[in-house]
Amino acid sequence: MTPESIAAEFDVPGQVVTVLSIETGNVNDTYRVIKRTTYSEVQFVLQRISKAVFPRPDLVMANMKEITDYGHKRLEEQVVKSNRIWQLPKVLPTRDGKDFFVDAEGRYWRALSMIASATSHEKVINVEHAHEAGYVLGHFQRIIADYPIDQLADTLPGFHIAPGYLKHHDKVVKTDGAQKKLAASSEARRVEAFIQERRDFVPVLEDALARGELKLRPIHGDPKITNIMMDDITGKGTAIIDLDTVKPGLIHYDFGDCVRSVCNPAGEDAKELKDVFVDVDFFEALVQGYLKQAQNFISDWDRKYLYDSVRLLTFELVLRFFTLEFN
């Protein structure tokens, strides 16, 4: 089936005019669908969910539907007191009322409402942008903070659990192939030494969770700067998108990963290592924005581990990508 025929399977008024590929994103095939009636035009996002990344697309969609329905309810309750119009993608049903469509080849497709008059960016533009990124993340976490996590599936077991990545690294680095690569590269040996010097820090968040200092909550899972939508009219943050990774977790995973993405002015696709650094002004602005929203639900223990999360989430990526070099 073509994307055009898939788009027609969803319960959106009108005829399909065109389906345009959206090249951003690393996981799902994404399209912008335009449909028209005799008096209006509707646009929505069509995506094919990657089963290579998400083995259970049905659970991904169940989580997304639960969180977006709950989030929309909370936004509607607070709209009168809000200082801006907050948005959140809405799951659009198929013509037979389901939350996704499965084609003849067993591929899963979903349709989502588009965030109106908003744009995402590949990297942070200025200090105000960094502030808004923190503000949007804090707001999203706040409106879903009390959603019962036992109603969410763990769609990515082990995701952001740093001790698991270290254990996998230790296993891989002992292989003959890895040892040969380490012997042949002084840079690889330098990175390996960097990892070993910091290994005792790796369980900091999981140990705090085990001691009861931290608790599991619903999290976004991937709050990078490209998932923060900025209102084209007001210049303020209006939504966070890409909710595939919503699941139970520690809010620190979100905070640390957001800092990692936002506070590097070069963006995630920088080619030169010299261009990559932490912009302290961006970091200060992000924290200020985040705490304006998060202060309503985070505990003193949550605050204590925020800085550790910044170190840990960045280190986690070192573990993950360096280990991949040995596979």
PDB file of all heavy atoms in Angstrom, residues 118-147:
ATOM      1  N   ALA A 118       3.713  26.040  14.513  1.00  0.00           N
ATOM      2  CA  ALA A 118       4.877  25.851  15.381  1.00  0.00           C
ATOM      3  C   ALA A 118       6.005  25.187  14.607  1.00  0.00           C
ATOM      4  O   ALA A 118       5.778  24.494  13.613  1.00  0.00           O
ATOM      5  CB  ALA A 118       4.497  25.014  16.597  1.00  0.00           C
ATOM      6  N   THR A 119       7.233  25.396  15.088  1.00  0.00           N
ATOM      7  CA  THR A 119       8.420  24.898  14.407  1.00  0.00           C
ATOM      8  C   THR A 119       9.394  24.318  15.421  1.00  0.00           C
ATOM      9  O   THR A 119       9.539  24.847  16.522  1.00  0.00           O
ATOM     10  CB  THR A 119       9.127  26.049  13.646  1.00  0.00           C
ATOM     11  OG1 THR A 119       8.198  26.669  12.758  1.00  0.00           O
ATOM     12  CG2 THR A 119      10.319  25.531  12.863  1.00  0.00           C
ATOM     13  N   SER A 120      10.050  23.231  15.048  1.00  0.00           N
ATOM     14  CA  SER A 120      11.136  22.708  15.866  1.00  0.00           C
ATOM     15  C   SER A 120      12.466  23.077  15.207  1.00  0.00           C
ATOM     16  O   SER A 120      12.511  23.382  14.018  1.00  0.00           O
ATOM     17  CB  SER A 120      11.028  21.189  16.025  1.00  0.00           C
ATOM     18  OG  SER A 120      11.207  20.548  14.771  1.00  0.00           O
ATOM     19  N   HIS A 121      13.535  23.034  15.972  1.00  0.00           N
ATOM     20  CA  HIS A 121      14.839  23.462  15.479  1.00  0.00           C
ATOM     21  C   HIS A 121      15.888  22.385  15.740  1.00  0.00           C
ATOM     22  O   HIS A 121      15.813  21.650  16.725  1.00  0.00           O
ATOM     23  CB  HIS A 121      15.260  24.771  16.150  1.00  0.00           C
ATOM     24  CG  HIS A 121      14.300  25.902  15.904  1.00  0.00           C
ATOM     25  ND1 HIS A 121      14.419  26.756  14.837  1.00  0.00           N
ATOM     26  CD2 HIS A 121      13.187  26.299  16.582  1.00  0.00           C
ATOM     27  CE1 HIS A 121      13.442  27.647  14.865  1.00  0.00           C
ATOM     28  NE2 HIS A 121      12.672  27.384  15.915  1.00  0.00           N
ATOM     29  N   GLU A 122      16.889  22.324  14.861  1.00  0.00           N
ATOM     30  CA  GLU A 122      17.941  21.327  14.983  1.00  0.00           C
ATOM     31  C   GLU A 122      18.888  21.634  16.141  1.00  0.00           C
ATOM     32  O   GLU A 122      19.535  20.737  16.676  1.00  0.00           O
ATOM     33  CB  GLU A 122      18.744  21.239  13.673  1.00  0.00           C
ATOM     34  CG  GLU A 122      17.955  20.674  12.498  1.00  0.00           C
ATOM     35  CD  GLU A 122      17.569  19.220  12.718  1.00  0.00           C
ATOM     36  OE1 GLU A 122      18.385  18.460  13.266  1.00  0.00           O
ATOM     37  OE2 GLU A 122      16.436  18.843  12.342  1.00  0.00           O
ATOM     38  N   LYS A 123      19.001  22.893  16.502  1.00  0.00           N
ATOM     39  CA  LYS A 123      19.835  23.281  17.637  1.00  0.00           C
ATOM     40  C   LYS A 123      19.295  24.568  18.237  1.00  0.00           C
ATOM     41  O   LYS A 123      18.465  25.255  17.639  1.00  0.00           O
ATOM     42  CB  LYS A 123      21.296  23.452  17.216  1.00  0.00           C
ATOM     43  CG  LYS A 123      21.522  24.334  16.024  1.00  0.00           C
ATOM     44  CD  LYS A 123      22.980  24.231  15.576  1.00  0.00           C
ATOM     45  CE  LYS A 123      23.241  25.040  14.319  1.00  0.00           C
ATOM     46  NZ  LYS A 123      24.625  24.889  13.850  1.00  0.00           N
ATOM     47  N   VAL A 124      19.758  24.887  19.430  1.00  0.00           N
ATOM     48  CA  VAL A 124      19.244  26.037  20.162  1.00  0.00           C
ATOM     49  C   VAL A 124      19.685  27.333  19.490  1.00  0.00           C
ATOM     50  O   VAL A 124      20.842  27.482  19.090  1.00  0.00           O
ATOM     51  CB  VAL A 124      19.716  26.002  21.623  1.00  0.00           C
ATOM     52  CG1 VAL A 124      19.327  27.269  22.350  1.00  0.00           C
ATOM     53  CG2 VAL A 124      19.106  24.805  22.322  1.00  0.00           C
ATOM     54  N   ILE A 125      18.752  28.265  19.377  1.00  0.00           N
ATOM     55  CA  ILE A 125      19.008  29.536  18.699  1.00  0.00           C
ATOM     56  C   ILE A 125      19.648  30.547  19.642  1.00  0.00           C
ATOM     57  O   ILE A 125      20.597  31.247  19.284  1.00  0.00           O
ATOM     58  CB  ILE A 125      17.701  30.109  18.129  1.00  0.00           C
ATOM     59  CG1 ILE A 125      17.087  29.134  17.113  1.00  0.00           C
ATOM     60  CG2 ILE A 125      17.932  31.469  17.495  1.00  0.00           C
ATOM     61  CD1 ILE A 125      15.695  29.520  16.664  1.00  0.00           C
ATOM     62  N   ASN A 126      19.131  30.650  20.873  1.00  0.00           N
ATOM     63  CA  ASN A 126      19.613  31.654  21.818  1.00  0.00           C
ATOM     64  C   ASN A 126      19.220  31.243  23.237  1.00  0.00           C
ATOM     65  O   ASN A 126      18.631  30.173  23.450  1.00  0.00           O
ATOM     66  CB  ASN A 126      19.045  33.042  21.468  1.00  0.00           C
ATOM     67  CG  ASN A 126      17.526  33.019  21.288  1.00  0.00           C
ATOM     68  OD1 ASN A 126      16.812  32.283  21.978  1.00  0.00           O
ATOM     69  ND2 ASN A 126      17.022  33.815  20.360  1.00  0.00           N
ATOM     70  N   VAL A 127      19.557  32.094  24.200  1.00  0.00           N
ATOM     71  CA  VAL A 127      19.283  31.799  25.610  1.00  0.00           C
ATOM     72  C   VAL A 127      17.789  31.641  25.863  1.00  0.00           C
ATOM     73  O   VAL A 127      17.357  30.758  26.624  1.00  0.00           O
ATOM     74  CB  VAL A 127      19.871  32.903  26.514  1.00  0.00           C
ATOM     75  CG1 VAL A 127      19.397  32.741  27.949  1.00  0.00           C
ATOM     76  CG2 VAL A 127      21.398  32.863  26.468  1.00  0.00           C
ATOM     77  N   GLU A 128      16.973  32.471  25.225  1.00  0.00           N
ATOM     78  CA  GLU A 128      15.519  32.387  25.416  1.00  0.00           C
ATOM     79  C   GLU A 128      14.987  31.042  24.938  1.00  0.00           C
ATOM     80  O   GLU A 128      14.074  30.461  25.551  1.00  0.00           O
ATOM     81  CB  GLU A 128      14.819  33.529  24.668  1.00  0.00           C
ATOM     82  CG  GLU A 128      15.040  34.911  25.261  1.00  0.00           C
ATOM     83  CD  GLU A 128      16.433  35.470  24.978  1.00  0.00           C
ATOM     84  OE1 GLU A 128      17.102  34.967  24.048  1.00  0.00           O
ATOM     85  OE2 GLU A 128      16.838  36.409  25.685  1.00  0.00           O
ATOM     86  N   HIS A 129      15.541  30.544  23.851  1.00  0.00           N
ATOM     87  CA  HIS A 129      15.144  29.236  23.320  1.00  0.00           C
ATOM     88  C   HIS A 129      15.470  28.139  24.334  1.00  0.00           C
ATOM     89  O   HIS A 129      14.660  27.229  24.577  1.00  0.00           O
ATOM     90  CB  HIS A 129      15.870  28.994  22.000  1.00  0.00           C
ATOM     91  CG  HIS A 129      15.372  27.816  21.230  1.00  0.00           C
ATOM     92  ND1 HIS A 129      15.998  27.346  20.105  1.00  0.00           N
ATOM     93  CD2 HIS A 129      14.312  26.989  21.411  1.00  0.00           C
ATOM     94  CE1 HIS A 129      15.359  26.317  19.632  1.00  0.00           C
ATOM     95  NE2 HIS A 129      14.321  26.069  20.404  1.00  0.00           N
ATOM     96  N   ALA A 130      16.652  28.216  24.951  1.00  0.00           N
ATOM     97  CA  ALA A 130      17.036  27.231  25.963  1.00  0.00           C
ATOM     98  C   ALA A 130      16.092  27.279  27.155  1.00  0.00           C
ATOM     99  O   ALA A 130      15.691  26.242  27.698  1.00  0.00           O
ATOM    100  CB  ALA A 130      18.475  27.485  26.413  1.00  0.00           C
ATOM    101  N   HIS A 131      15.725  28.489  27.568  1.00  0.00           N
ATOM    102  CA  HIS A 131      14.778  28.649  28.675  1.00  0.00           C
ATOM    103  C   HIS A 131      13.445  27.979  28.341  1.00  0.00           C
ATOM    104  O   HIS A 131      12.864  27.259  29.169  1.00  0.00           O
ATOM    105  CB  HIS A 131      14.564  30.140  28.957  1.00  0.00           C
ATOM    106  CG  HIS A 131      13.528  30.429  30.001  1.00  0.00           C
ATOM    107  ND1 HIS A 131      12.167  30.470  29.705  1.00  0.00           N
ATOM    108  CD2 HIS A 131      13.635  30.675  31.337  1.00  0.00           C
ATOM    109  CE1 HIS A 131      11.498  30.728  30.805  1.00  0.00           C
ATOM    110  NE2 HIS A 131      12.352  30.863  31.805  1.00  0.00           N
ATOM    111  N   GLU A 132      12.967  28.190  27.136  1.00  0.00           N
ATOM    112  CA  GLU A 132      11.684  27.619  26.735  1.00  0.00           C
ATOM    113  C   GLU A 132      11.743  26.100  26.655  1.00  0.00           C
ATOM    114  O   GLU A 132      10.759  25.413  26.961  1.00  0.00           O
ATOM    115  CB  GLU A 132      11.241  28.213  25.397  1.00  0.00           C
ATOM    116  CG  GLU A 132      10.799  29.655  25.486  1.00  0.00           C
ATOM    117  CD  GLU A 132       9.621  29.837  26.426  1.00  0.00           C
ATOM    118  OE1 GLU A 132       8.605  29.158  26.246  1.00  0.00           O
ATOM    119  OE2 GLU A 132       9.728  30.656  27.360  1.00  0.00           O
ATOM    120  N   ALA A 133      12.885  25.554  26.251  1.00  0.00           N
ATOM    121  CA  ALA A 133      13.032  24.099  26.199  1.00  0.00           C
ATOM    122  C   ALA A 133      12.858  23.502  27.593  1.00  0.00           C
ATOM    123  O   ALA A 133      12.146  22.512  27.783  1.00  0.00           O
ATOM    124  CB  ALA A 133      14.393  23.722  25.620  1.00  0.00           C
ATOM    125  N   GLY A 134      13.505  24.111  28.592  1.00  0.00           N
ATOM    126  CA  GLY A 134      13.345  23.640  29.960  1.00  0.00           C
ATOM    127  C   GLY A 134      11.929  23.828  30.462  1.00  0.00           C
ATOM    128  O   GLY A 134      11.373  22.966  31.163  1.00  0.00           O
ATOM    129  N   TYR A 135      11.323  24.937  30.103  1.00  0.00           N
ATOM    130  CA  TYR A 135       9.955  25.256  30.526  1.00  0.00           C
ATOM    131  C   TYR A 135       8.963  24.240  29.956  1.00  0.00           C
ATOM    132  O   TYR A 135       8.065  23.751  30.662  1.00  0.00           O
ATOM    133  CB  TYR A 135       9.609  26.666  30.050  1.00  0.00           C
ATOM    134  CG  TYR A 135       8.416  27.302  30.725  1.00  0.00           C
ATOM    135  CD1 TYR A 135       8.518  27.837  32.000  1.00  0.00           C
ATOM    136  CD2 TYR A 135       7.195  27.398  30.064  1.00  0.00           C
ATOM    137  CE1 TYR A 135       7.426  28.453  32.610  1.00  0.00           C
ATOM    138  CE2 TYR A 135       6.098  28.003  30.663  1.00  0.00           C
ATOM    139  CZ  TYR A 135       6.220  28.532  31.941  1.00  0.00           C
ATOM    140  OH  TYR A 135       5.141  29.133  32.533  1.00  0.00           O
ATOM    141  N   VAL A 136       9.130  23.900  28.675  1.00  0.00           N
ATOM    142  CA  VAL A 136       8.236  22.931  28.027  1.00  0.00           C
ATOM    143  C   VAL A 136       8.395  21.546  28.648  1.00  0.00           C
ATOM    144  O   VAL A 136       7.398  20.858  28.917  1.00  0.00           O
ATOM    145  CB  VAL A 136       8.514  22.886  26.511  1.00  0.00           C
ATOM    146  CG1 VAL A 136       7.797  21.701  25.858  1.00  0.00           C
ATOM    147  CG2 VAL A 136       8.068  24.186  25.845  1.00  0.00           C
ATOM    148  N   LEU A 137       9.638  21.116  28.877  1.00  0.00           N
ATOM    149  CA  LEU A 137       9.846  19.808  29.489  1.00  0.00           C
ATOM    150  C   LEU A 137       9.232  19.761  30.878  1.00  0.00           C
ATOM    151  O   LEU A 137       8.539  18.803  31.233  1.00  0.00           O
ATOM    152  CB  LEU A 137      11.337  19.476  29.565  1.00  0.00           C
ATOM    153  CG  LEU A 137      11.671  18.181  30.310  1.00  0.00           C
ATOM    154  CD1 LEU A 137      11.019  16.967  29.643  1.00  0.00           C
ATOM    155  CD2 LEU A 137      13.177  17.990  30.434  1.00  0.00           C
ATOM    156  N   GLY A 138       9.486  20.793  31.690  1.00  0.00           N
ATOM    157  CA  GLY A 138       8.922  20.825  33.037  1.00  0.00           C
ATOM    158  C   GLY A 138       7.406  20.801  33.014  1.00  0.00           C
ATOM    159  O   GLY A 138       6.773  20.127  33.836  1.00  0.00           O
ATOM    160  N   HIS A 139       6.822  21.522  32.073  1.00  0.00           N
ATOM    161  CA  HIS A 139       5.357  21.549  31.969  1.00  0.00           C
ATOM    162  C   HIS A 139       4.813  20.181  31.597  1.00  0.00           C
ATOM    163  O   HIS A 139       3.824  19.707  32.187  1.00  0.00           O
ATOM    164  CB  HIS A 139       4.934  22.579  30.920  1.00  0.00           C
ATOM    165  CG  HIS A 139       3.453  22.648  30.707  1.00  0.00           C
ATOM    166  ND1 HIS A 139       2.821  21.924  29.712  1.00  0.00           N
ATOM    167  CD2 HIS A 139       2.471  23.311  31.367  1.00  0.00           C
ATOM    168  CE1 HIS A 139       1.527  22.156  29.779  1.00  0.00           C
ATOM    169  NE2 HIS A 139       1.282  22.988  30.753  1.00  0.00           N
ATOM    170  N   PHE A 140       5.435  19.514  30.614  1.00  0.00           N
ATOM    171  CA  PHE A 140       4.969  18.185  30.208  1.00  0.00           C
ATOM    172  C   PHE A 140       5.052  17.214  31.379  1.00  0.00           C
ATOM    173  O   PHE A 140       4.102  16.464  31.651  1.00  0.00           O
ATOM    174  CB  PHE A 140       5.795  17.683  29.029  1.00  0.00           C
ATOM    175  CG  PHE A 140       5.435  16.299  28.581  1.00  0.00           C
ATOM    176  CD1 PHE A 140       4.262  16.066  27.867  1.00  0.00           C
ATOM    177  CD2 PHE A 140       6.256  15.217  28.880  1.00  0.00           C
ATOM    178  CE1 PHE A 140       3.917  14.773  27.456  1.00  0.00           C
ATOM    179  CE2 PHE A 140       5.918  13.934  28.469  1.00  0.00           C
ATOM    180  CZ  PHE A 140       4.749  13.714  27.761  1.00  0.00           C
ATOM    181  N   GLN A 141       6.190  17.214  32.071  1.00  0.00           N
ATOM    182  CA  GLN A 141       6.323  16.311  33.214  1.00  0.00           C
ATOM    183  C   GLN A 141       5.288  16.638  34.297  1.00  0.00           C
ATOM    184  O   GLN A 141       4.764  15.728  34.952  1.00  0.00           O
ATOM    185  CB  GLN A 141       7.734  16.415  33.795  1.00  0.00           C
ATOM    186  CG  GLN A 141       8.810  15.783  32.926  1.00  0.00           C
ATOM    187  CD  GLN A 141      10.169  15.815  33.600  1.00  0.00           C
ATOM    188  OE1 GLN A 141      10.380  16.533  34.576  1.00  0.00           O
ATOM    189  NE2 GLN A 141      11.107  15.042  33.093  1.00  0.00           N
ATOM    190  N   ARG A 142       4.992  17.912  34.467  1.00  0.00           N
ATOM    191  CA  ARG A 142       4.046  18.313  35.514  1.00  0.00           C
ATOM    192  C   ARG A 142       2.635  17.814  35.237  1.00  0.00           C
ATOM    193  O   ARG A 142       1.958  17.305  36.132  1.00  0.00           O
ATOM    194  CB  ARG A 142       4.041  19.834  35.666  1.00  0.00           C
ATOM    195  CG  ARG A 142       3.084  20.329  36.735  1.00  0.00           C
ATOM    196  CD  ARG A 142       3.227  21.821  36.993  1.00  0.00           C
ATOM    197  NE  ARG A 142       2.817  22.631  35.858  1.00  0.00           N
ATOM    198  CZ  ARG A 142       1.547  22.936  35.552  1.00  0.00           C
ATOM    199  NH1 ARG A 142       0.552  22.448  36.291  1.00  0.00           N
ATOM    200  NH2 ARG A 142       1.269  23.693  34.523  1.00  0.00           N
ATOM    201  N   ILE A 143       2.183  17.945  33.993  1.00  0.00           N
ATOM    202  CA  ILE A 143       0.786  17.587  33.720  1.00  0.00           C
ATOM    203  C   ILE A 143       0.553  16.076  33.725  1.00  0.00           C
ATOM    204  O   ILE A 143      -0.589  15.622  33.855  1.00  0.00           O
ATOM    205  CB  ILE A 143       0.269  18.198  32.394  1.00  0.00           C
ATOM    206  CG1 ILE A 143       1.013  17.621  31.179  1.00  0.00           C
ATOM    207  CG2 ILE A 143       0.354  19.710  32.426  1.00  0.00           C
ATOM    208  CD1 ILE A 143       0.399  18.010  29.854  1.00  0.00           C
ATOM    209  N   ILE A 144       1.629  15.282  33.584  1.00  0.00           N
ATOM    210  CA  ILE A 144       1.456  13.825  33.601  1.00  0.00           C
ATOM    211  C   ILE A 144       2.043  13.196  34.863  1.00  0.00           C
ATOM    212  O   ILE A 144       2.027  11.969  35.000  1.00  0.00           O
ATOM    213  CB  ILE A 144       2.086  13.163  32.357  1.00  0.00           C
ATOM    214  CG1 ILE A 144       3.609  13.340  32.353  1.00  0.00           C
ATOM    215  CG2 ILE A 144       1.469  13.706  31.080  1.00  0.00           C
ATOM    216  CD1 ILE A 144       4.317  12.533  31.267  1.00  0.00           C
ATOM    217  N   ALA A 145       2.542  14.011  35.795  1.00  0.00           N
ATOM    218  CA  ALA A 145       3.286  13.501  36.949  1.00  0.00           C
ATOM    219  C   ALA A 145       2.491  12.509  37.781  1.00  0.00           C
ATOM    220  O   ALA A 145       3.053  11.555  38.332  1.00  0.00           O
ATOM    221  CB  ALA A 145       3.762  14.660  37.828  1.00  0.00           C
ATOM    222  N   ASP A 146       1.179  12.724  37.902  1.00  0.00           N
ATOM    223  CA  ASP A 146       0.383  11.847  38.764  1.00  0.00           C
ATOM    224  C   ASP A 146      -0.348  10.753  37.991  1.00  0.00           C
ATOM    225  O   ASP A 146      -1.223  10.075  38.540  1.00  0.00           O
ATOM    226  CB  ASP A 146      -0.613  12.660  39.594  1.00  0.00           C
ATOM    227  CG  ASP A 146      -1.529  13.538  38.737  1.00  0.00           C
ATOM    228  OD1 ASP A 146      -1.355  13.543  37.496  1.00  0.00           O
ATOM    229  OD2 ASP A 146      -2.420  14.207  39.297  1.00  0.00           O
ATOM    230  N   TYR A 147       0.018  10.564  36.707  1.00  0.00           N
ATOM    231  CA  TYR A 147      -0.596   9.463  35.963  1.00  0.00           C
ATOM    232  C   TYR A 147      -0.041   8.140  36.511  1.00  0.00           C
ATOM    233  O   TYR A 147       1.181   7.988  36.682  1.00  0.00           O
ATOM    234  CB  TYR A 147      -0.294   9.573  34.467  1.00  0.00           C
ATOM    235  CG  TYR A 147      -1.016   8.523  33.653  1.00  0.00           C
ATOM    236  CD1 TYR A 147      -2.321   8.732  33.238  1.00  0.00           C
ATOM    237  CD2 TYR A 147      -0.409   7.305  33.355  1.00  0.00           C
ATOM    238  CE1 TYR A 147      -3.006   7.762  32.536  1.00  0.00           C
ATOM    239  CE2 TYR A 147      -1.082   6.337  32.643  1.00  0.00           C
ATOM    240  CZ  TYR A 147      -2.386   6.558  32.240  1.00  0.00           C
ATOM    241  OH  TYR A 147      -3.065   5.591  31.552  1.00  0.00           O
TER     242      TYR A 147
END
